[in-house]
Amino acid sequence: MAALVDTAREVARHLLETPLPRRWSHVQAVAAKADRISAAVPAEDREVLVASAWLHDVGYSPDLVDTGFHSLDGGRWLCRQRFNTRIAALVAHHSCAWLEAEERGLGEVLAAEFPREETAVTDALCCSDMTTGPDGQDFEVLERLAEIRSRYGPEHLVTRFISRAEPEMVAAVRRTQRLLADSVRQPI
Ligand SMILES: [Fe+2]
């Protein structure tokens, strides 16, 4: 299974490091955080979590932009590459992407193409992404959401999406933090 993480990292590096170095910094930090908080998910899911973190933003790569909605584009590309289907679905739906899909008129398309799991893995992936800034810096989730709003501006579709998604994103982060605290109290 470690091979899965290694493959995911190299795929992401190939797609992001040169064309999108800032995005690559973010992705490296998100993957490192997913690894650090992986005790919040069952042992058998940890490599899926970290591999998904490496791949969650590949849809921004100019090599594979299709609809312009990075979560869907990344998930579709991973499917075309016959990558692990659970990871493709986690990427397609990461960080409340279904709400952004609705804003873009792609809600039904996303739901039809990819099953959405709702587990500690989806929470931990959202937590890793939503507590890591665009340069890889650590953020509290509410700071991160404010940073996204200020980067895109009040009228932007992404800002509307973030406003709708905020309660679920914050809840996912808090659930992950609680599981992590529990895992410290009960060594596994
Ligand atoms: Fe991200």
Side-chain angles (χ1 to χ4, degrees):
M1 276 289 273
L4 185 61
V5 172
D6 291 343
T7 303
R9 182 183 60 243
E10 292 314 309
V11 166
R13 182 197 304 281
H14 173 74
L15 289 166
L16 297 172
E17 185 174 28
T18 301
L20 298 172
R22 194 178 188 212
R23 183 66 57 181
W24 176 236
S25 297
H26 164 79
V27 164
Q28 290 176 87
V30 171
K33 184 165 288 180
D35 191 47
R36 276 205 306 283
I37 69 169
S38 64
V41 307
E44 64 271 22
D45 286 340
R46 288 180 189 156
E47 277 168 313
V48 166
L49 168 65
V50 178
S52 301
W54 278 113
L55 293 165
H56 80 282
D57 275 348
V58 293
Y60 283 113
S61 171
D63 287 354
L64 58 91
V65 171
D66 173 16
T67 65
F69 176 33
H70 81 281
S71 307
L72 179 61
D73 291 351
R76 280 179 170 175
W77 184 84
L78 291 166
C79 279
R80 288 199 300 276
Q81 303 302 308
R82 305 201 181 287
F83 214 86
N84 177 302
T85 53
R86 184 181 178 198
I87 291 177
L90 284 164
V91 167
H93 282 287
H94 80 269
S95 301
C96 301
W98 62 96
L99 291 173
E100 183 170 348
E102 286 176 11
E103 292 289 337
R104 293 176 179 273
L106 291 167
E108 289 179 12
V109 172
L110 180 66
E113 292 186 27
F114 296 96
R116 170 156 69 96
E117 71 170 73
E118 293 179 89
T119 62
V121 175
T122 53
D123 283 350
L125 183 58
C126 182
C127 179
S128 303
D129 193 18
M130 285 299 131
T131 61
T132 304
D135 297 299
Q137 65 274 54
D138 279 325
F139 273 130
E140 213 286 321
V141 59
L142 294 174
E143 282 180 323
R144 166 78 157 133
L145 293 170
E147 177 277 319
I148 295 171
R149 284 195 186 91
S150 72
R151 186 152 38 96
Y152 285 93
E155 308 300 330
H156 199 278
L157 178 152
V158 170
T159 299
R160 286 203 305 279
F161 151 61
I162 287 294
S163 297
R164 283 184 67 195
E166 178 171 323
E168 179 49 31
M169 287 176 165
V170 171
V173 171
R174 302 293 177 238
R175 284 192 293 267
T176 302
Q177 290 168 336
R178 272 199 301 277
L179 284 169
L180 216 46
D182 289 348
S183 78
V184 172
R185 276 194 290 276
Q186 297 171 357
I188 37 178

